[in-house]
Amino acid sequence: MIANRDRSQLHLDHYLISTLYSSWVEGEHEREGVFELFFRKNPFKGEYTIFLGLANVMDYLENFKIDQETIKQFKSIKQFSEFQEKFWDYLMNLSTSSLKVYAMKEGTICFPHEPLMQVIGPLSLANLVGTAFLCLTSYPSLVATNATRFRLAADAINLPECKLFEFGLRRAQGPGAALIASISAYIGGFDATSNLDAHEKFGIPTCGTTDHTSILVGVANRQQLSKTSTSDHKFLLNKKTDQEENFTLKCLEIEEDFVKRIVTRKRTIEEDHKLRRRSELRSFIKVAITNKSSFAALVDTYDVIVSGLVNYCIVALALHHFGYCPLGIRIDSGDSAYLSRCAKSLFKEVAEEYEFNELVSSQIIVSNEISIKVILSLLGQKHAITGFGIGTNLVTCGKQPTLGTVYKMVEIQGIPCQKSTTGTLGSGKSMITCRKSVYRLYSDDNQALVDLMIGNGEQAPKAGHPVLCKHPFDPNQQCVIKPNRVEPLLHLWWDGKLIKKMQSIEEIRTNCLNSLTHLREDIKRFMNPTPYKVSVSDELLKKLNTLKSNTQN
């Protein structure tokens, strides 16, 4: 995924330039460093994360250039004003051709402390790109992870065919974030987005209903709907007769019949029938004319039961008469479970009365501050909801606004290095140093058992052979696994240039959703999920213990 990044942006922190200058003065800038990008805790109190953003990183590397104008801006900063001129010449000649970048495939499930990306190259440059890599991967990974959790929530309430629509464009922190969120949500299992930019740039399916404005505007039309006054009637091609016919008139004929056959039977509607808004009916007719093959009505502008549902059914019946099939309704307020049951009940009654079976299949989409908690609350309720429109609680990631990824040097000139920090797995600022490779070990039934990190140069684990896996922080925890399948997780993508074909969005989406199927249900559950095992080899653990001992001494 590449989400409309401004290629002129270098994403550099102030300290990166001052640090680089110091190492350049000391002649240390060309030393080989190994950096790794990782996080220490899964988001949303869950036990897994989805990795995204690699294509953005590759795009950044391909277009990395510090030009004369940028140097001019740097020189205007007081703290940089006395830097040697030769340093600025060095910066202008920096090239990413000296870097190697290993990374997981986008859409891969990942876990704390294991490297999502590994960067090898001259210390100066490998350190310089760190902020950009963090910026370009953290937010898409966070939203994709959030999206999968919404999908799992829908599955948890026995709605495997439930449609999830991303409605976050007007809620995201800016248009750039909105586009990233639309892409990430689709990869994480959402079915469509309201964001037309996402469709234009990436082909992501779009969706939408009417809005309250298009319905309220009907109030301004003072002319009453009438069979005899046809000046404002709308005409539509009848696919059954292949003739242009008066669609408004057909709606009014159905309205009259509908009141007699349906409304008078339903006491709750009949008593308040006078509250039904015919201006809403007029608006629905207008929308149906221009969206005859995709008519979806927002039914809560006025009273959902008395007005919105009745007017929808009238227009839906007229469309059926003309050879078209409506899509459904959206409810944006009120008790969504109760109102969805009312809608389904009315659709069934109308379908039977008018021999219009397709009406029963009308989608019932609910929106308005939908959260995972709201979805899970439906498990104990009767409802007829077929989909959710989700915005704020998806794209803002309010429960955890950042993934907390970090970018740390783990080796310099082949020598492991780390901060002198104590901590346990998943807490503090603990890290697993040394250059590493990561492998996922699978069971006979193709379930992911453990991720194993081994040191550079170690022999990779093999399928069918026993593998000793040790806890990186607790010496009392270890296990022996005989994997049925072994999957390497880090792949070389950049070796001075892009050397591997990037995945398409559909490939990333498939990888993401398939990865979830290989994770045990107890790891994915919402209440007290089981932590996934991230282990190290015996040889790597010995290196870590030696390094820790030397650091303390």
Side-chain angles (χ1 to χ4, degrees):
M1 56 172 286
I2 300 176
N4 199 31
R5 186 183 66 80
D6 182 350
R7 290 184 170 88
S8 67
Q9 294 179 352
L10 289 168
H11 302 293
L12 297 177
D13 280 315
H14 179 111
Y15 82 90
L16 291 170
I17 299 300
S18 56
T19 301
L20 176 54
Y21 181 68
S22 296
S23 63
W24 178 83
V25 169
E26 294 297 322
E28 299 173 344
H29 57 292
E30 292 299 325
R31 292 183 177 183
E32 184 180 83
V34 179
F35 290 76
E36 291 181 348
L37 187 149
F38 63 96
F39 60 94
R40 296 186 174 99
K41 187 177 181 180
N42 286 305
F44 312 117
K45 297 182 179 180
E47 290 297 342
Y48 73 86
T49 301
I50 305 296
F51 173 60
L52 277 191
L54 180 62
N56 298 330
V57 168
M58 295 297 108
D59 179 62
Y60 176 86
L61 291 173
E62 287 186 316
N63 294 279
F64 180 89
K65 177 65 178 175
I66 300 178
D67 56 25
Q68 186 66 52
E69 182 60 30
T70 303
I71 296 296
K72 182 180 177 181
Q73 294 300 320
F74 286 168
K75 287 181 177 181
S76 70
I77 298 173
K78 182 179 179 180
Q79 293 92 328
F80 300 162
S81 61
E82 296 182 1
F83 286 3
Q84 297 177 39
E85 194 62 34
K86 287 184 178 180
F87 174 70
W88 301 122
D89 294 338
Y90 163 74
L91 273 189
M92 287 185 62
N93 290 315
L94 269 182
S95 167
T96 56
S97 61
S98 57
L99 291 180
K100 285 186 177 182
V101 178
Y102 294 81
M104 295 182 179
K105 292 181 179 178
E106 292 195 81
T108 298
I109 288 184
C110 53
F111 303 95
H113 293 280
E114 57 189 23
L116 316 182
M117 295 177 57
Q118 187 180 83
V119 181
I120 305 170
L123 176 62
S124 56
L125 184 58
N127 189 40
L128 196 66
V129 298
T131 296
F133 288 8
L134 291 167
C135 180
L136 295 169
T137 58
S138 179
Y139 181 62
S141 298
L142 193 67
V143 176
T145 304
N146 203 16
T148 63
R149 290 172 61 79
F150 273 100
R151 174 51 67 190
L152 290 174
D155 293 343
I157 63 170
N158 300 316
L159 284 178
E161 301 301 320
C162 174
K163 299 294 183 182
L164 297 181
F165 304 116
E166 182 267 312
F167 287 174
L169 176 57
R170 61 183 59 190
R171 302 293 183 225
Q173 290 93 337
L179 183 56
I180 292 172
S182 297
I183 301 166
S184 304
Y186 180 68
I187 288 170
F190 273 59
D191 296 282
T193 176
S194 65
N195 189 346
L196 294 180
D197 277 350
H199 175 73
E200 178 188 352
K201 294 180 171 69
F202 300 97
I204 294 174
T206 60
C207 62
T209 60
T210 51
D211 63 0
H212 293 298
T213 301
S214 65
I215 297 167
L216 290 169
V217 74
V219 176
N221 194 325
R222 299 298 182 182
Q223 186 174 350
Q224 293 294 317
L225 281 171
S226 168
K227 292 181 182 179
T228 56
S229 178
T230 61
S231 60
D232 65 339
H233 282 199
K234 307 294 183 182
F235 285 74
L236 179 65
L237 175 67
N238 189 325
K239 291 169 65 176
K240 296 179 178 179
T241 64
D242 200 31
Q243 298 290 323
E244 288 278 339
E245 297 179 12
N246 191 326
F247 183 74
T248 302
L249 181 60
K250 174 53 65 176
C251 286
L252 296 178
E253 291 172 349
I254 291 173
E255 177 189 31
E256 185 177 315
D257 184 67
F258 191 91
V259 170
K260 293 177 182 178
R261 297 170 63 178
I262 302 295
V263 173
T264 53
R265 292 185 197 169
K266 301 183 79 67
R267 186 177 178 184
T268 56
I269 297 178
E270 183 185 16
E271 290 178 349
D272 294 321
H273 180 56
K274 61 184 179 180
L275 299 177
R276 182 169 65 86
R277 299 297 187 106
R278 298 191 81 219
S279 64
E280 182 182 55
L281 176 61
R282 182 194 298 276
S283 297
F284 281 3
I285 291 171
K286 180 180 66 176
V287 172
I289 287 291
T290 53
N291 298 271
K292 50 188 176 294
S293 298
S294 58
F295 176 62
L298 180 61
V299 296
D300 72 324
T301 303
Y302 303 112
D303 188 292
V304 174
I305 297 173
V306 172
S307 189
L309 292 178
V310 172
N311 287 330
Y312 169 77
C313 287
I314 291 168
V315 175
L317 286 167
L319 284 170
H320 175 62
H321 178 82
F322 275 65
Y324 304 96
C325 187
L327 288 184
I329 63 170
R330 177 164 69 95
I331 303 170
D332 194 44
S333 58
D335 184 336
S336 56
Y338 169 71
L339 292 174
S340 70
R341 295 200 308 271
C342 292
K344 194 71 169 183
S345 174
L346 181 60
F347 295 165
K348 287 180 178 179
E349 184 175 352
V350 174
E352 182 177 351
E353 183 72 24
Y354 287 89
E355 298 182 355
F356 177 21
N357 294 331
E358 293 89 341
L359 185 64
V360 179
S361 300
S362 289
Q363 293 183 27
I364 302 174
I365 308 300
V366 299
S367 49
N368 186 33
E369 297 299 322
I370 300 298
S371 65
I372 288 174
K373 184 178 180 180
V374 168
I375 295 176
L376 292 176
S377 72
L378 294 171
L379 185 59
Q381 302 182 58
K382 292 182 179 180
H383 68 88
I385 297 167
T386 63
F388 299 93
I390 306 167
T392 302
N393 292 306
L394 170 66
V395 305
T396 65
C397 299
K399 294 292 184 181
Q400 183 166 338
T402 179
L403 180 57
T405 46
V406 293
Y407 184 79
K408 299 294 183 182
M409 184 170 69
V410 296
E411 277 190 8
I412 178 70
Q413 294 289 92
I415 302 173
C417 56
Q418 70 172 18
K419 293 170 58 180
S420 180
T421 304
T422 58
T424 58
L425 184 62
S427 66
K429 289 195 172 184
S430 56
M431 61 178 287
I432 302 171
T433 190
C434 301
R435 179 181 173 185
K436 302 175 284 293
S437 296
V438 191
Y439 296 87
R440 185 156 294 161
L441 280 52
Y442 291 87
S443 65
D444 292 343
D445 59 354
N446 213 23
Q447 293 294 291
L449 294 172
V450 64
D451 281 10
L452 177 70
M453 290 182 279
I454 66 173
N456 186 41
E458 285 190 56
Q459 185 176 0
K462 295 180 181 179
H465 293 261
V467 180
L468 177 60
C469 303
K470 294 200 169 187
H471 194 292
F473 296 93
D474 186 347
N476 297 316
Q477 292 191 40
Q478 65 179 44
C479 63
V480 176
I481 293 176
K482 190 176 181 180
N484 182 62
R485 179 166 70 92
V486 175
E487 178 188 11
L489 296 184
L490 292 180
H491 307 272
L492 181 61
W493 296 87
W494 182 274
D495 189 0
K497 62 180 180 180
L498 184 63
I499 64 169
K500 194 177 181 70
K501 183 182 178 182
M502 300 306 298
Q503 305 156 269
S504 69
I505 284 183
E506 291 298 335
E507 289 171 336
I508 298 171
R509 175 181 165 90
T510 299
N511 183 39
C512 173
L513 300 181
N514 283 346
S515 292
L516 282 171
T517 65
H518 297 305
L519 208 58
R520 295 198 318 268
E521 293 302 318
D522 59 305
I523 298 172
K524 295 182 288 188
R525 69 191 178 201
F526 292 93
M527 292 294 292
N528 300 318
T530 303
Y532 180 81
K533 292 181 175 63
V534 177
S535 302
V536 296
S537 67
D538 184 52
E539 185 174 338
L540 178 57
L541 184 60
K542 288 177 181 177
K543 285 184 180 180
L544 296 174
N545 288 334
T546 299
L547 179 63
K548 182 178 179 181
S549 177
N550 292 340
T551 302
Q552 291 175 342
N553 294 332

